[in-house]
Amino acid sequence: MTAAGRPQNHGLSIGAVLAQLRGDFPDVTISKIRFLEAEGLVQPGRTPSGYRQFAAADVERLRFVLAAQRDHYLPLKVIKEQLDAADSGVAPAAALPRPPRRLVPIDAPAENVGLPVADDFTAGKELRLTQEELLEQAGIDAPVLAELQQYGLVRPGPAGFFDPDAVLVARTVKAMTEFGIEPRHLRAFRAAADREVGLLEQIVTPVYRHRDPEAKARADEVVRELAALSVTLHTLLVKAGIRGVSGC
C-alpha cells in the first residue's frame, strides 16, 4: 500500500489511472482522484514539468480507498488511519473484498441482510427493478410490499421502478418481522432518515450550486463522509440504548 520508494520519472498519468479504475468504480472521476490526493490518501510522484505520475502501488491504494468508501461506508479519516498504519508497519492494511456483481441470493444468511453488496450504480445508470423482480429478490409477496410502501419504507422511482436498496430494505424488514416487529412499527426509522437527509441537504446544497466540478466533487465527498458518520452515530446510540435496557 505504501507509495514510498517509487521512481519519479515514469508511471501512469491520471487519465490512465482513471481508465484502470473505471471498470470497478464507474463513478470515479479525475476530480475525485485529485480530491483524494489533496486529502493525503495518495501521493503520486511528479515529472519535472509537474505532471502526476502514479505507480502501481498508487493505483492499488486508490482501489483500497474507493472500495472502503463504497463497500464499507468508512469515512476518509478512518481509511487514512488504516493506510498510515500500514505505511508505518504498525499493521497491515486489510484487503477489502470486491462486491459481487449481483444482489445477495435470496437464501443468504440473515446476518448478511442489509450489507452493501448491490452492484455498482451511478446517477443516470441505475439498476432498475420492476415490482415482480423486487418481490422475487426480496422473497416477499405483494401485500407485504404494499405495507412497506404504505409506511414509506420502500419507495419506487418516478417511473415506478425500484432500486437495489429497496431489496435490501425489504429483506431487512422481513428479518425483523421474525421478532414480532411489523412495518408499521418502523415508521420512526423512515422519519429519522428523512430528517437526516434534510440536514445533509442544508449543508451540501449551497456547494452543489457552484458550477465548478471541483466543488461538486467536494460536495459528493462531504455527503459520503456525513452519511458514514451518521450511520456510525446511529449504531452507537442504539447500542448504548440497548445496554441501558439490558442493564449491561
Side-chain angles (χ1 to χ4, degrees):
M1 285 296 173
T2 179
R6 68 163 162 266
Q8 297 294 314
N9 59 349
H10 63 82
L12 298 173
S13 67
I14 193 169
V17 171
L18 180 66
Q20 287 196 17
L21 296 175
R22 273 275 172 84
D24 292 323
F25 307 96
D27 58 340
V28 69
T29 62
I30 287 179
S31 295
K32 167 80 170 182
I33 296 173
R34 288 173 176 165
F35 173 80
L36 295 177
E37 178 187 359
E39 293 295 310
L41 276 300
V42 64
Q43 297 176 350
R46 296 274 181 167
T47 66
S49 55
Y51 290 102
R52 295 174 177 83
Q53 294 285 282
F54 292 82
D58 294 319
V59 178
E60 289 309 305
R61 192 179 182 93
L62 286 169
R63 288 186 185 278
F64 183 95
V65 174
L66 294 170
Q69 283 189 305
R70 182 191 64 189
D71 305 338
H72 300 270
Y73 300 108
L74 294 180
L76 286 181
K77 180 180 179 181
V78 174
I79 299 171
K80 190 173 188 303
E81 289 173 352
Q82 293 181 358
L83 290 172
D84 288 345
D87 290 343
S88 64
V90 174
L96 299 180
R98 295 180 182 177
R101 294 292 175 183
R102 56 179 175 77
L103 295 174
V104 174
I106 294 174
D107 58 353
E111 61 268 22
N112 289 337
V113 173
L115 290 177
V117 293
D119 193 7
D120 303 336
F121 59 93
T122 57
K125 191 180 179 182
E126 294 185 356
L127 175 61
R128 303 193 304 173
L129 304 173
T130 64
Q131 177 172 316
E132 291 71 24
E133 290 170 331
L134 171 62
L135 295 176
E136 180 183 359
Q137 289 282 352
I140 61 175
D141 55 28
V144 172
L145 176 58
E147 193 173 7
L148 295 178
Q149 291 182 263
Q150 177 184 353
Y151 296 111
L153 300 172
V154 170
R155 296 171 175 170
F161 292 97
F162 298 87
D163 64 29
D165 284 344
V167 176
L168 301 179
V169 169
R171 290 182 185 173
T172 302
V173 175
K174 180 182 177 182
M176 296 179 77
T177 60
E178 297 177 2
F179 296 89
I181 299 176
E182 300 178 12
R184 61 187 176 87
H185 298 142
L186 302 176
R187 285 177 292 185
F189 286 81
R190 176 76 267 171
D194 288 341
R195 286 194 296 269
E196 291 179 16
V197 170
L199 178 60
L200 295 184
E201 286 180 341
Q202 293 179 35
I203 296 171
V204 301
T205 296
V207 184
Y208 275 124
R209 288 174 179 164
H210 291 283
R211 301 194 180 195
D212 181 4
E214 296 291 339
K216 183 181 183 303
R218 176 60 185 168
D220 289 340
E221 287 305 313
V222 170
V223 169
R224 292 189 183 97
E225 290 291 287
L226 289 176
L229 292 171
S230 66
V231 169
T232 300
L233 178 60
H234 177 83
T235 301
L236 293 173
L237 292 176
V238 171
K239 287 174 64 177
I242 293 298
R243 284 199 297 269
V245 170
S246 63
C248 297

